Amino acid sequence: MPKRSLPLPGHRTGWSTGRRALVLAGVLTGLLVTAGVSAHITGREEQPSSPPGGSAAAPPSPSTGPAGPAETDPTPGAGPVPAPPKISDPVAFAEAAAVMLWSYDTRDTDHEHHLAGVEAWMTTESRYRDWSSVSARVPDPTLWSRMADQGQHATADAATGHYPSAFRQALAEDPAAITKAYIYAVTVTGTQRITWANGGSGAEDRSITLAVQCRPARACSLVAVAPHVAP
C-alpha cells in the first residue's frame, strides 16, 4: 500500500482574543463593526475597490519607493524557505506569502530552520504581529519528523489574490482607517502539490486569508493568518 501524505495543520489555532481586542481598539476600530465581519480577522483589513454607488475606485495602497530602514524590513529567509520579496503591493505580497506557507521540504530542512524561514516574513511591529496564527500552519516537530521519514515535500502556486468583499465595503465607508496601521486582508487561492517517497503524490486546491502590512515606502510583511477564509 502506498504511503499517504501527512497534511499540514491548517486550523489549529485562531487569533487570540487579546490580539483581536488590541487591533479592534487601536487599528481599525469600528471598521469591522460597520461591515459586520467576523471578529477572527478584526481590524487588520482593508480597502475599497467598489465604493457605495457602484463606481470603481482604486483602494488606498502604499506609495512606491525604496524599502524603509533595515530594522523594519523582514530578515532573510532560512534554509529553502525563500526570503520575503521586497514589494509594496499587498495582493502580490500575500500571494507570495501563501505560496511560501503551502511549500516545504522535509528532506533537507529540519523543523527549526523551516520555522525560522517562515518567521522572517513577519512584521517586526509587535503590536500587530500574530506569530501564533502563522506558526500554526507549520507542522509541529513530531509531525515534521514523520513527514521527513516519508521524504515529503510540497510546492505551490497562487492563482488569484483579492481583498475580501466585506472589507472593501467597510473601508469604502471609512477610507482613512487603513492609514492607522496599513494592514490589509487578502484572500489567496491556489494549488498545493505534495510528493512523498516511493512515487506518491497528490494535489489539492488551497485558500487562505492573510493580514499583511504594507506601510508607505517599506516592503510588505506578514501579520497573521485568519482561521477562516474570507470571501
Side-chain angles (χ1 to χ4, degrees), residues 158-199:
T160 63
H162 68 275
Y163 301 109
S165 58
F167 292 97
R168 293 198 308 267
Q169 177 183 349
L171 199 58
E173 297 170 3
D174 186 6
I178 196 66
T179 63
K180 298 175 184 177
Y182 287 95
I183 293 175
Y184 302 78
V186 182
T187 294
V188 180
T189 61
T191 302
Q192 182 189 51
R193 293 171 297 278
I194 304 173
T195 304
W196 58 97
N198 301 319

Side-chain angles (χ1 to χ4, degrees), residues 121-167:
W121 288 63
M122 297 295 295
T123 179
T124 58
E125 295 185 34
S126 59
R127 180 180 182 186
Y128 308 124
R129 171 190 175 102
D130 189 356
W131 171 236
S132 64
S133 71
V134 176
S135 61
R137 313 298 288 202
V138 178
D140 62 38
T142 299
L143 180 54
W144 188 273
S145 177
R146 291 173 57 198
M147 292 164 60
D149 290 341
Q150 296 186 12
Q152 188 167 320
H153 53 287
T155 58
D157 293 311
T160 63
H162 68 275
Y163 301 109
S165 58
F167 292 97

